[in-house]
């Protein structure tokens, strides 16, 4: 491996952060757990006992092959993170290593979480508020399972790995590790250009979850949109319509907050927010949760569309399931809108002093 000469304005003497060691430790820990599961034959979270296995692409991976697959993937990814701290590969080797790293990050952050993590995020307010009152009537042991824990852990690992890969990719390309600038502020990444294409992305990302929410609100109102009368009656009797309402409300709030990515109140706190009125909205306060939802929406959509039963009439091909068809587009649009917001509002970089 050879060193890449970085431009003179790059600050390359800063002490390395904790992201790489944290990512390596996290991936390594779960890799060792997968290795133990491979050796003992127990503890694999996505086996036949996982009630949501068939709703994700993990169903294509035989249960007996799962533990060694994840052990190899996670441990090699941890090794790659450690290598990235010292090396600056060039040419085909750089492409190969980055390609493998991003593939692993995709599997961890998109394939493994499936629909369940996004659904939990939507149900969380209802579960937290209703828990002291015994509502909704669910067994929390059936909600917070080992499989769900592993899915969240995979998502965390994918995010950590993505952060390391992004910094490594920038460094080996001669860009600033902190902001990605290369000294040429032009093209589609300028604030003016980002404002233009970002507005289109925002409106797409705001409309799609509203379509999903309307179907769930209709059920609460007694309208069997995409359901038979008997199915709606069962939902009303079991209280499932309220769970759907909770997800619809979560989607609606997310849609409104998405609009903030191009509105003034998304940059300055509005007047009615006592104590914060007029202050700048921290960029990360918007970027971090929006990015998380973008990843989870993409994961939920891709995994749902991969299930053969989804394409059967009366299931995915109905008013109830059709909104899921647009979830991958929702995730991509929200990710683009969030990136445009970041490009518009980022300040002078503390590393390279550009901006």
């Amino acid at each position: 491996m050879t060193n890449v000469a970085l431009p003179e304005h790059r600050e390359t003497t800063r002490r390395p952060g904790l992201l790489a060691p944290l990512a390596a430790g996290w991936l390594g820990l779960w890799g060792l757990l997968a290795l133990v599961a491979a050796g003992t034959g127990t503890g694999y979270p996505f086996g036949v006992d996982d009630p949501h296995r068939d709703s994700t692409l993990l169903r294509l991976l035989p249960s007996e092959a799962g533990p060694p697959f994840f052990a190899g993937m996670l441990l090699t990814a941890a090794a790659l993170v450690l290598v990235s701290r010292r090396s600056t590969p060039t040419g085909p080797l750089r492409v190969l290593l980055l390609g493998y790293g991003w593939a692993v990050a995709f599997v961890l952050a998109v394939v493994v979480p499936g629909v369940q993590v996004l659904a939990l995020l939507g149900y969380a307010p209802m579960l937290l508020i209703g828990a002291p009152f015994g509502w909704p009537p669910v067994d929390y042991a059936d909600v917070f399972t080992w499989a769900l824990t592993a899915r969240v852990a995979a998502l965390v690992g994918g995010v950590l790995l993505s952060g390391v890969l992004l910094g490594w990719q920038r460094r080996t390309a001669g860009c600033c590790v902190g902001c990605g600038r290369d000294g040429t502020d032009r093209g589609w990444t300028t604030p003016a250009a980002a404002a233009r294409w970002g507005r289109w992305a925002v409106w797409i990302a705001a409309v799609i979850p509203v379509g999903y929410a309307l179907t769930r609100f209709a059920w609460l109102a007694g309208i069997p949109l995409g359901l038979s009368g008997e199915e709606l009656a069962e939902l009303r009797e079991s209280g499932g319509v309220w769970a759907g309402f909770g997800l619809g409300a979560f989607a609606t709030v997310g849609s409104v907050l998405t609009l903030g990515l191009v509105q003034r109140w998304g940059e300055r706190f509005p007047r009615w927010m006592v104590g914060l009125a007029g202050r700048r909205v921290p960029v990360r306060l918007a970027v971090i949760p929006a990015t998380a939802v973008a990843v989870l929406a993409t994961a939920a959509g891709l995994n749902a569309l991969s299930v053969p039963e989804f394409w059967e009439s009366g299931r995915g091909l109905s008013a109830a399931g059709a909104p899921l068809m647009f979830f991958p587009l929702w995730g991509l649009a929200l990710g683009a809108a969030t990136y445009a917001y970041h490009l518009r509002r980022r300040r002078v970089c503390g590393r390279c002093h550009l901006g």
Side-chain angles (χ1 to χ4, degrees):
M1 295 184 183
T2 59
N3 291 329
V4 175
L6 300 179
E8 293 182 358
H9 65 268
R10 302 290 180 266
E11 183 181 344
T12 60
T13 59
R14 289 182 58 151
R15 295 176 60 185
L18 296 176
L19 180 59
L22 181 61
W26 187 263
L27 295 169
L29 171 63
W30 285 91
L32 290 176
L33 290 176
L35 194 61
V36 171
T40 61
T42 60
Y44 179 53
F46 310 126
V48 293
D49 295 331
D50 178 13
H52 302 292
R53 171 184 169 84
D54 291 338
S55 65
T56 72
L57 286 168
L58 291 176
R59 70 182 183 281
L60 303 177
L61 182 66
S63 296
E64 61 275 10
F69 170 78
F70 277 101
M73 182 178 67
L74 291 168
L75 292 176
T76 54
L80 179 63
V81 169
L82 295 177
V83 169
S84 71
R85 302 190 70 193
R86 297 291 182 182
S87 64
T88 52
T90 59
L93 180 59
R94 175 178 180 271
V95 174
L96 178 64
L97 293 178
L98 284 173
Y100 175 74
W102 284 115
V104 173
F106 179 83
V107 171
L108 295 178
V110 176
V111 174
V112 175
V115 182
Q116 288 68 47
V117 179
L118 180 63
L120 176 65
L121 190 61
Y123 286 131
M126 184 168 50
L127 292 174
L128 294 174
I129 295 174
F133 308 101
W135 188 89
V138 298
D139 186 348
Y140 283 78
D142 294 333
V143 176
F144 299 99
T145 61
W146 171 232
L148 178 62
T149 301
R151 286 188 167 90
V152 174
L155 176 63
V156 172
V159 171
L160 292 174
L161 178 58
S162 296
V164 173
L165 292 172
L166 182 60
W168 195 31
Q169 181 173 308
R170 288 171 172 175
R171 178 165 61 86
T172 54
C175 300
C176 174
V177 175
C179 68
R181 293 183 177 96
D182 61 0
T184 58
D185 190 16
R186 61 178 181 271
W188 63 276
T189 61
T190 63
R196 290 192 297 271
W197 59 262
R199 187 171 295 275
W200 284 99
V202 163
W203 283 107
I204 294 172
V207 167
I208 293 175
V210 171
Y212 172 85
L214 288 177
T215 61
R216 274 54 187 173
F217 294 158
W219 298 347
L220 185 63
I223 303 173
L225 192 60
L227 299 176
S228 65
E230 292 76 11
E231 290 172 330
L232 180 58
E234 291 179 3
L235 280 178
R236 295 176 69 87
E237 182 178 354
S238 65
V241 289
W242 289 103
F245 173 80
L247 289 177
F250 172 76
T252 303
V253 171
S255 177
V256 173
L257 292 177
T258 298
L259 295 177
L261 297 175
V262 291
Q263 300 294 325
R264 176 175 172 75
W265 55 265
E267 299 181 15
R268 297 276 181 179
F269 288 108
R271 295 178 180 179
W272 56 267
M273 298 191 70
V274 180
L276 295 174
R279 294 187 180 184
R280 287 176 57 87
V281 176
V283 177
R284 292 182 179 180
L285 184 63
V287 168
I288 292 177
T291 301
V293 173
V295 172
L296 291 175
T298 303
L302 290 178
N303 280 278
L305 296 180
S306 72
V307 179
E309 290 80 5
F310 180 87
W311 301 100
E312 296 177 0
S313 178
R315 301 196 66 174
L317 300 181
S318 68
L324 282 172
M325 296 176 64
F326 299 96
F327 271 37
L329 178 59
W330 175 24
L332 293 175
L334 182 56
T338 305
Y339 186 53
Y341 177 86
H342 162 74
L343 291 175
R344 286 194 302 106
R345 297 203 57 210
R346 61 179 178 174
R347 294 184 171 184
V348 174
C349 178
R351 284 177 177 265
C352 65
H353 309 297
L354 292 176

